[in-house]
């Protein structure tokens, strides 16, 4: 599935992401430089205008401050060779101004670069400067557009007798502005070249990271990734190098007990904030390494694998093996029952042969006693269990386990204090706990000098208390917590399922009901497993 960039193709742009990014960066750099140049030239033009007007005003102020100029204005006439004209032309040549015009109170020129204009009125209104105010402006006059400065001309006693007007050709200001442009463009070109080099280097890095893919390919890959991650029946969790969650797909949320609506909020959160402390968090974070690691989350048995990524992060996958483990345990129980039935079949055949022999020999009373004894043993066992354990599921489990234990040569008995009423809230959970503990106890007691497994079930108010003791070698004190870890076992794994999950499930189920599970040494040696389940009875 692809989403082509039709606008890019219509414009003839390259399809590769790195080329488009490079062109975009160059266009942005050029646009920024043009904007910066325009923003720089606009105030520069105004600044040059202001400098020209201030220069004209300064020249006019200097000329008006000359006492001889005021005296010559009062004493001379309007002839082209009057002393005012000579002084003004001297100042004009010395300062490089376009003109220096001295006018009287009537606005009549007493000096001008063109001597034929002496004696004529000025072309602009002189009322403001003759009123005693200095004037700076850019205006159009007889000599063209110029930057002007006008200063009142005072007599020796401080009276206004005229004015001095100095103009600087506006073309010179424009020339200065145009002269600054080449240097500015040179700097802008250098900045653009540096920006282009930086953009090229950045585009090369992006090219390596995107593997030279087009935007349409990247968009298609993202769409395919989303569809794949949320459709596969395997949990996927992506982690960043710092241990934060990047992605949790729907199956992973289901297996870990997270709500699908909240998976998006976990993005960017540390893994330890998403999952409680335990083996699952240790496996996903990489604190526990290995292949096909077993872990228990809630009531689910999961197989986890973790693969590091190139950026230092990791992708972890989760597979649900709950049903497989349940079927495996059922298969183990079924095989045990089949073996017990096979043995009982042999034993039953032997008893029938014995009974037949007694009848053929005419020993009818002995035959009746033999049948009564055999039937009574089995009846006694079932009655003992049902008298003390009133829940039918637990009673059936104990009767079946007693048959298997007898076949294995390990007596299974109930403690004298056993008494459990038929008021269990979750009998299925207690069946799982008791079945796992009894199986482990039978494995441990088999082969010991005086094999024995004892089960104690009792109620303390609404709390169910379970103890399973065996005559096996016991559990070392240093291992009494480790044995409840997923995947830990001293037994050889079976072909159809993994070992090391029974005790982990026992503790997880107990903690799920607010209880606890622990191991200790039995009073007569061996191991004793205790499970406390508060609020287990109605």
């Amino acid at each position: 599935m692809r989403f082509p960039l039709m606008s890019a193709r219509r414009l003839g742009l390259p399809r590769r992401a790195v080329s488009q990014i490079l062109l975009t960066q160059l266009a942005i750099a050029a646009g920024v430089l043009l904007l910066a140049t325009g923003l720089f030239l606009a105030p520069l033009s105004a600044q040059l205008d202001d400098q020209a007007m201030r220069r004209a005003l300064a020249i006019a102020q200097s000329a008006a401050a000359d006492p001889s100029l005021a005296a010559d204005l009062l004493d001379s006439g309007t002839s082209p060779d009057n002393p005012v004209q000579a002084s003004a032309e001297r100042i004009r040549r010395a300062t490089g101004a376009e003109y220096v015009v001295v006018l009287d109170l009537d606005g009549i020129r007493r000096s001008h670069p063109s001597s034929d204009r002496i004696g004529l009125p000025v072309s602009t209104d002189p009322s403001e400067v003759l009123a005693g105010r200095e004037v700076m402006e850019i205006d159009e006059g007889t000599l063209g557009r110029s930057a002007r400065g006008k200063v009142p001309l005072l007599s020796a006693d401080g009276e206004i007798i005229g004015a001095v007007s100095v103009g600087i050709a506006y073309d010179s200001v424009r020339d200065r502005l145009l002269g600054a442009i080449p240097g500015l463009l040179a700097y802008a070109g250098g900045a653009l070249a540096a920006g282009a080099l930086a953009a090229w280097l950045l585009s090369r890095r992006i090219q390596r990271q995107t593997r030279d893919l087009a935007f349409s390919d990247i968009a298609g890959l993202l769409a395919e990734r989303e569809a794949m991650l949320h459709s596969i029946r395997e949990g996927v969790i992506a982690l960043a190098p710092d241990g934060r969650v990047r992605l949790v797909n729907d199956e992973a949320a289901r297996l870990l007990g997270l709500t699908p609506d909240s998976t998006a909020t976990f993005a960017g959160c540390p893994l330890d904030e998403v999952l409680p402390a335990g083996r699952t968090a240790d496996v996903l974070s990489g604190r526990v390494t290995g292949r096909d690691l077993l872990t228990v989350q809630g009531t689910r048995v999961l197989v986890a694998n973790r693969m590091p990524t190139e950026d230092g992060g990791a992708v972890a996958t989760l597979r649900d093996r709950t049903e497989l483990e349940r079927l495996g345990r059922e298969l183990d129980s079924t095989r045990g029952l089949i073996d017990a039935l096979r043995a009982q079949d042999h034993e039953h055949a032997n008893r029938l042969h014995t009974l037949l022999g007694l009848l053929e020999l005419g020993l009818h009373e002995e035959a009746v006693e033999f049948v009564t004894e055999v039937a009574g043993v089995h009846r006694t066992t079932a009655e003992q269990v049902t008298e003390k354990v009133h829940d039918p599921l637990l009673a059936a489990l104990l009767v079946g386990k007693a048959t298997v234990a007898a076949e294995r040569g390990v007596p299974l008995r109930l403690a004298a204090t056993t008494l459990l009423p038929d008021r269990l809230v979750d009998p299925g959970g207690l069946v799982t706990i008791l079945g796992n503990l009894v199986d482990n106890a039978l494995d441990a007691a088999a082969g010991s000098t005086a094999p024995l497994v004892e089960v104690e079930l009792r109620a303390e108010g609404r709390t169910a208390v379970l103890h399973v003791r065996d005559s096996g070698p016991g559990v070392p004190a240093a291992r009494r917590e480790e044995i409840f870890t997923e995947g830990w076992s001293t037994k050889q794994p079976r072909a159809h399922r993994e070992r090391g999950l029974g005790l982990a499930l026992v503790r997880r189920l107990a903690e799920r009901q607010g209880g606890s599970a622990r191991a200790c040494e039995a009073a007569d040696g061996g191991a004793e497993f205790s499970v406390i389940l508060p609020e287990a009875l109605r």
Side-chain angles (χ1 to χ4, degrees), residues 37-314:
T37 302
L39 293 176
F40 176 77
L41 289 177
L44 177 61
S45 176
Q47 183 180 5
L48 292 177
D49 290 346
D50 183 72
Q51 289 178 357
M53 291 186 294
R54 290 186 180 278
R55 181 183 170 210
L57 183 65
I59 295 173
Q61 289 172 340
S62 298
D66 187 358
S68 62
L69 185 62
D72 291 340
L73 178 63
L74 293 174
D75 297 338
S76 63
T78 58
S79 60
D81 57 352
N82 67 81
V84 174
Q85 169 71 1
S87 297
E89 286 299 297
R90 176 176 53 80
I91 294 172
R92 183 182 67 81
R93 289 190 295 269
T95 58
E98 184 180 18
Y99 66 82
V100 178
V101 174
V102 180
L103 59 147
D104 57 20
L105 290 176
D106 296 327
I108 304 300
R109 298 186 183 99
R110 296 296 185 89
S111 65
H112 197 277
S114 300
S115 57
D116 56 344
R117 297 181 182 274
I118 296 175
L120 298 177
V122 294
S123 59
T124 57
D125 183 15
S127 58
E128 186 176 1
V129 66
L130 292 177
R133 294 187 292 272
E134 296 181 345
V135 178
M136 291 192 308
E137 62 183 0
I138 294 178
D139 202 356
E140 193 79 29
T142 56
L143 297 178
R145 191 172 179 82
S146 60
R148 302 179 179 186
K150 299 177 182 181
V151 176
L153 183 59
L154 306 178
S155 63
D157 56 1
E159 294 183 1
I160 299 175
I161 58 174
V164 179
S165 177
V166 176
I168 296 177
Y170 194 77
D171 289 341
S172 65
V173 177
R174 185 177 61 187
D175 291 342
R176 292 178 60 193
L177 177 61
L178 295 176
I181 291 178
L184 180 62
L185 292 179
Y187 285 113
L192 180 60
L197 178 61
W200 180 80
L201 293 175
L202 179 60
S203 66
R204 295 295 295 175
R205 180 181 179 183
I206 295 175
Q207 181 180 18
R208 291 192 299 269
Q209 291 180 339
T210 60
R211 302 182 187 275
D212 204 19
L213 294 174
F215 278 122
S216 59
D217 296 330
I218 296 175
L221 288 174
L222 288 175
E224 291 170 356
R225 188 198 74 157
E226 289 298 314
M228 177 184 67
L229 287 177
H230 294 289
S231 63
I232 61 176
R233 304 303 296 170
E234 186 168 307
V236 178
I237 298 179
L239 301 173
D242 59 355
R244 296 182 179 272
V245 176
R246 282 177 173 167
L247 175 120
V248 179
N249 74 341
D250 295 342
E251 182 67 8
R254 185 183 72 86
L255 296 178
L256 296 175
L258 309 176
T259 58
D261 296 338
S262 64
T263 54
T265 63
F266 293 140
C269 297
L271 180 64
D272 293 335
E273 294 182 5
V274 177
L275 295 176
R279 180 175 171 83
T280 302
D282 293 339
V283 169
L284 296 181
S285 63
R287 292 189 287 268
V288 176
T289 59
R291 291 173 57 87
D292 294 334
L293 297 173
L294 289 172
T295 180
V296 177
Q297 184 68 17
T299 59
R300 297 187 181 278
V301 179
L302 306 177
V303 178
N305 283 283
R306 189 176 187 275
M307 178 65 67
T309 56
E310 293 181 359
D311 63 350

Side-chain angles (χ1 to χ4, degrees), residues 262-380:
S262 64
T263 54
T265 63
F266 293 140
C269 297
L271 180 64
D272 293 335
E273 294 182 5
V274 177
L275 295 176
R279 180 175 171 83
T280 302
D282 293 339
V283 169
L284 296 181
S285 63
R287 292 189 287 268
V288 176
T289 59
R291 291 173 57 87
D292 294 334
L293 297 173
L294 289 172
T295 180
V296 177
Q297 184 68 17
T299 59
R300 297 187 181 278
V301 179
L302 306 177
V303 178
N305 283 283
R306 189 176 187 275
M307 178 65 67
T309 56
E310 293 181 359
D311 63 350
V315 174
T317 60
L318 299 171
R319 285 173 289 158
D320 191 357
R321 292 195 51 163
T322 306
E323 293 302 316
L324 182 61
E325 288 298 320
R326 183 181 65 81
L327 292 174
R329 286 192 297 273
E330 290 181 358
L331 178 60
D332 290 342
S333 299
T334 303
R335 285 182 173 177
L337 288 174
I338 291 174
D339 292 339
L341 291 174
R342 186 181 296 113
Q344 286 187 353
D345 178 60
H346 294 161
E347 183 179 357
H348 184 64
N350 292 332
R351 288 169 179 169
L352 286 179
H353 292 156
T354 303
L355 178 60
L356 179 60
L358 291 174
L359 293 175
E360 289 179 348
L361 294 175
L363 303 176
H364 299 95
E365 294 182 1
E366 287 80 357
V368 171
E369 292 177 0
F370 178 75
V371 171
T372 303
E373 179 183 357
V374 171
V377 171
H378 292 284
R379 188 182 309 110
T380 300

